[in-house]
Amino acid sequence: MKVSNKMNLPLDGLNLESLMETLFYREEFLSIASHELKTPLTSIKLQTQVFRRNSKKEKNTSYSKEKVDRLVDQIDIQSTRLIKIIDDMLDISRIRTGQLVMTKTKFNLSEVVEELLPAQISSKIESNIFINGDRERIIQAMSVILNNAARYGRGLPIKVRLVQRKTKIIFSVQDQGYGISPEDQKRIFQRFQRAVPASEVSGIGLGLFIANEIVESHNGKIIVKSEIGQGSTFKVNFKREESL
Amino acid sequence: MNHPVCIIDDDDDVREVMSFALEYEGIQSIPFASAMQAEAYLSNLTPDYLPSLIFVDFMMPEMDGLEFINLMRKKYPDTLGRIPMVLSTARLAEDTDVMPAGIVKLEKPIDLDHFIRIAKEHYSPLEKHASVS
Ligand SMILES: Nc1ncnc2c1ncn2[C@@H]1O[C@H](COP(=O)(O)OP(=O)(O)O)[C@@H](O)[C@H]1O
Ligand SMILES: [Mg+2]
């Protein structure tokens, strides 16, 4: 559907179709954000209300230490989940205003990746690969890709690699999960874009957008190869600097 | 022995604390992590042992809460389909504006007193539960 620009607004390069699309995704985003924020809050609020209801009673039950520990742990975990979502939202607003600043230092990327990996993951990490970059931000970008492999990997084993070539450093994560169709492979790097129904795997669709932004700020590139039903490989390529 | 209250929610923490809250009110509950698991279990119960009330979450993988309710009503109109259902949802209010008849909506974050009140209204001892059949 192409619609002419009857109002003569300065819409160079824009059309109604893409505006409608933006609006649609904004609506969709609100709906997803509502679910993603309210689910951890539901858990937190229920835990605290359970405590309060109990302490209001004249003859209150004393919960076992295990039970209390568990409830408190859950509140903590759910709060962390909320903080993570808020941090992502803050990051996209930083990106929009050009305030996502990279503080670069030389560090051992191999050690960082080793530390990031859960024990049971099969990996091939070449040691002593150095990079000049923002350590925390690079960890953040790699975590997005690793977590996605776990979340969309249907519980099947994933493979992680970190290798160095003449001109580049390659970090790759391969899963055997749902896979991503060719059309979706382009879309998922944009803000709020998701390729799974919100009810299947929860998420707000900001991870790859932020990861891509971080990688590009290091003159790197994220490449995805995937086939529906077979799995996906996300590769992060960094240029190898001679001096390192 | 009572007709339990059934809780279907894919979020482990939410499910657990809902059960826990009911337990402390003396209400027995059976939790399920998915609508499919719930159907598999519930469809094998004899009418005498059916739950008195079902809380089901809207947003769940594979089968959502609304699909579950509609399926129960269609497939088991005289048994499971007659149990009162409460649909809990963390979505925007607009998204769940239009509800099929007879479904109570419970907004997340859930108000505990409200939740317990609903559960108590429907919770009935097994012996007195003849009205369902
Ligand atoms: N390893 C993967 N396998 C399949 N799909 C993936 C993978 N990683 C990302 N995706 C798709 O890309 C979308 C965007 O991912 P992301 O930006 O990290 O946000 P979120 O995971 O919160 O949706 C996901 O919703 C999912 O559809
Ligand atoms: Mg849910």
Side-chain angles (χ1 to χ4, degrees), chain A residues 31-211:
Chain A
S31 177
I32 291 172
S34 166
H35 179 261
E36 292 305 303
L37 294 168
K38 282 182 183 171
T39 301
L41 274 174
T42 300
S43 174
I44 295 171
K45 278 218 78 171
L46 277 175
Q47 326 271 9
T48 52
Q49 290 178 103
V50 163
F51 279 124
R52 201 187 47 202
R53 193 179 163 96
N54 185 46
S55 74
K56 265 191 191 163
K57 282 185 187 160
E58 269 171 32
K59 248 190 73 201
N60 52 20
T61 328
S62 51
Y63 299 140
S64 68
K65 183 182 168 344
E66 289 75 40
K67 197 79 211 181
V68 173
D69 284 351
R70 211 176 138 61
L71 288 181
V72 172
D73 280 350
Q74 281 174 356
I75 294 174
D76 195 54
I77 290 167
Q78 299 299 340
S79 312
T80 307
R81 201 168 142 190
L82 279 175
I83 291 168
K84 176 85 192 54
I85 297 173
I86 293 164
D87 280 344
D88 280 358
M89 290 178 160
L90 289 176
D91 277 347
I92 59 156
S93 117
R94 287 195 187 101
I95 290 170
R96 201 172 37 212
T97 54
Q99 284 170 324
L100 194 77
V101 186
M102 301 294 147
T103 317
K104 297 185 182 177
T105 54
K106 179 187 160 182
F107 67 91
N108 190 329
L109 186 62
S110 309
E111 282 174 6
V112 163
V113 173
E114 290 280 5
E115 263 173 50
L116 219 53
L117 296 184
Q120 73 278 18
I121 280 183
S122 109
S123 63
K124 185 185 156 203
I125 313 293
E126 267 176 34
S127 49
N128 294 324
I129 298 181
F130 284 85
I131 194 169
N132 185 27
D134 188 316
R135 194 170 184 273
E136 292 314 310
R137 289 295 181 184
I138 286 179
I139 291 176
Q140 183 184 358
M142 290 179 165
S143 304
V144 167
I145 293 171
L146 283 169
N147 289 336
N148 280 350
R151 290 158 67 224
Y152 302 107
R154 292 189 296 196
L156 296 168
I158 67 173
K159 276 193 202 134
V160 179
R161 258 175 14 123
L162 178 71
V163 293
Q164 188 162 238
R165 299 276 176 263
K166 250 202 185 97
T167 56
K168 57 186 173 185
I169 295 166
I170 307 162
F171 169 77
S172 77
V173 180
Q174 184 185 2
D175 67 55
Q176 307 170 60
Y178 303 117
I180 309 158
S181 74
E183 310 86 70
D184 286 339
Q185 286 173 28
K186 287 178 223 136
R187 219 163 47 81
I188 53 173
F189 289 95
Q190 293 164 25
R191 272 186 315 165
F192 307 133
Q193 299 286 340
R194 312 195 69 221
V196 290
S199 58
E200 291 294 325
V201 177
S202 65
I204 51 172
L206 291 179
L208 285 177
F209 175 75
I210 297 167

Side-chain angles (χ1 to χ4, degrees), chain B residues 41-126:
Chain B
Y41 178 87
L42 296 173
S43 61
N44 280 318
L45 294 178
T46 59
D48 289 350
Y49 289 87
L50 289 179
S52 49
L53 176 68
I54 299 177
F55 287 98
V56 57
D57 181 37
F58 188 12
M59 285 260 263
M60 291 188 294
E62 281 149 42
M63 194 195 300
D64 72 34
L66 204 51
E67 285 165 353
F68 173 81
I69 295 176
N70 288 329
L71 181 75
M72 292 303 104
R73 290 181 169 178
K74 213 170 142 201
K75 206 162 154 188
Y76 314 97
D78 299 320
T79 52
L80 294 173
R82 301 184 60 167
I83 299 171
M85 307 262 184
V86 180
L87 188 71
S88 56
T89 171
R91 295 190 56 155
L92 296 179
E94 301 91 281
D95 289 349
T96 49
D97 258 358
V98 204
M99 279 286 146
I103 298 177
V104 176
K105 198 167 87 175
L106 181 66
E107 296 232 6
K108 285 181 173 178
I110 295 167
D111 179 70
L112 184 70
D113 294 341
H114 183 53
F115 167 63
I116 289 172
R117 208 178 310 123
I118 298 177
K120 279 187 172 165
E121 264 167 31
H122 292 272
Y123 189 57
S124 61
L126 193 57

